[in-house]
Amino acid sequence: MKKTLIVAAALLGALTANAQQPVGKFSITPKFGFSNNYTSRDMPASFYYATLGPIGEYEPYIYNIESNITAGSFTFYNSKSKTGITFGAEAQYQFTKVFALSGGVMYTQKGATYDTKGFSTNLTNLKGNTYKYNIDEDIKLKLDYLTIPILANVYVAKGLALKAGIQPEIAINKKMQIQTSITPSDNPFITSTNSDVKNVSTFGLSIPIGISYEYHNFVADARYNLGLTNIEKEKASGAKHQNIAITIGYKIIL
C-alpha cells in the first residue's frame, strides 16, 4: 500500500509538472474544434437564373441562343450565423513563466446562411408559360480559410493564459449552395445551384482574443476573432467576419 501511494504521488507530481510548458521550451499543439461564424452586417447573396423554354424545345435556340434567353437574378440580405469545423496546429515558445509567443496554421470553415427556406415566386419562360420557382432550403455561403494565428500568451495563473494577436486569413474555397425546385417540374429554367463566389476577397485580417487552460498537456481554448477587412472585394456592404471558435488540443513539448 505504501509503495502504491509513493508511485501515485510520483505520477501526480510528474503530471503536475507538465501542466504548463517549461521556460525555454518549444511545443506543438494539434487541435480540433468548432466555430460559430457570422458577419458584422448583412452581406447580400445573389444568384442568377435563365429561361430556355420547355424540355424538347432547346434545339431551335442553339443557333441564336443569346437573343432567346430571358435572365434575371435574386438577391437576399437577411444573413444568419453558420457553424463549421476548425482544425490545425500551433507552435509555442515559452520565454518566461508568464509570457509566451505562438503561431499556427488552422483550417476554418466560415460563411453565413440566409433565411430563404420557403421562398417562392412565379417566373415565365420564353413560351409565356408560368412556373413556380421555389427555394427549398436556406442558402449557404461556404467560405473555407487557412488562418494563421500569431498570438502573445500571458499566463495569469498556472495553466491559465490570456491571449491576443493578429491573424492573416487566406480563402481557399468560395461557394454558394442553393437548393431549388420548379413546379410543374419540366425544368424550363437553368439556375446556379453550387457556384463560385467571385466577389469574396482571397486575403483578410482579424484580431484573435482568447483564453486557454492547460491540464495534463490537454489545452482547451476559446477565441473571438474580430474581422478587420471587408469580406467583399467591392466593399459594397462593408461586412466583416466575426467568429467564435472553441478547440481542444494536446500539447507536445519538444
Side-chain angles (χ1 to χ4, degrees):
M1 182 67 179
K2 186 176 180 180
K3 288 182 179 180
T4 303
L5 290 174
I6 292 172
V7 171
L11 289 173
L12 182 61
L15 290 172
T16 304
N18 285 328
Q20 185 171 312
Q21 184 172 327
V23 174
K25 291 287 188 178
F26 279 99
S27 67
I28 296 177
T29 305
K31 52 177 56 182
F32 176 87
F34 297 91
S35 62
N36 185 258
N37 310 277
Y38 52 99
T39 57
S40 60
R41 61 181 66 180
D42 284 337
M43 174 180 159
S46 299
F47 65 97
Y48 299 89
Y49 68 87
T51 69
L52 288 175
I55 287 178
E57 298 188 15
Y58 291 100
E59 189 173 352
Y61 304 124
I62 291 175
Y63 300 106
N64 193 19
I65 194 167
E66 291 184 1
S67 64
N68 284 284
I69 288 180
T70 300
S73 66
F74 297 104
T75 300
F76 298 92
Y77 293 90
N78 188 17
S79 60
K80 305 183 295 184
S81 65
K82 177 179 177 293
T83 300
I85 62 171
T86 181
F87 62 87
E90 291 185 339
Q92 178 172 306
Y93 182 77
Q94 194 77 29
F95 287 92
T96 70
K97 289 183 178 180
V98 174
F99 181 74
L101 283 177
S102 64
V105 177
M106 302 287 292
Y107 167 83
T108 304
Q109 294 178 333
K110 294 190 179 185
T113 59
Y114 293 81
D115 191 14
T116 57
K117 185 176 181 179
F119 173 86
S120 181
T121 190
N122 291 329
L123 297 177
T124 303
N125 69 2
L126 292 170
K127 302 291 289 184
N129 300 321
T130 298
Y131 295 81
K132 188 173 287 294
Y133 182 88
N134 312 294
I135 301 180
D136 302 321
E137 298 293 339
D138 287 344
I139 293 174
K140 294 180 176 64
L141 178 62
K142 296 185 172 183
L143 305 177
D144 299 337
Y145 286 83
L146 287 181
T147 62
I148 307 169
I150 303 168
L151 298 165
N153 301 269
V154 178
Y155 287 84
V156 295
K158 191 170 185 178
L160 181 66
L162 303 179
K163 50 189 65 186
I166 192 75
Q167 180 170 279
E169 303 175 345
I170 302 169
I172 57 175
N173 185 45
K174 299 180 280 187
K175 297 284 186 183
M176 186 175 294
Q177 182 177 310
I178 307 161
Q179 184 173 324
T180 63
S181 62
I182 302 291
T183 309
S185 58
D186 55 355
N187 196 27
F189 297 99
I190 296 175
T191 60
S192 175
T193 56
N194 193 9
S195 60
D196 292 333
V197 182
K198 304 296 184 183
N199 195 36
V200 171
S201 298
T202 300
F203 180 79
L205 279 174
S206 67
I207 295 177
I209 302 168
I211 186 170
S212 67
Y213 183 70
E214 303 170 23
Y215 182 73
H216 294 181
N217 289 61
F218 287 96
V219 183
D221 190 299
R223 293 180 197 174
Y224 171 70
N225 295 287
L226 175 65
L228 296 178
T229 53
N230 291 309
I231 300 172
E232 299 165 286
K233 293 177 183 177
E234 297 177 0
K235 305 176 184 178
S237 68
K240 299 175 175 64
H241 283 302
Q242 311 289 297
N243 170 274
I244 298 172
I246 297 175
T247 61
I248 296 291
Y250 187 81
K251 179 174 281 192
I252 302 168
I253 299 174
L254 305 178

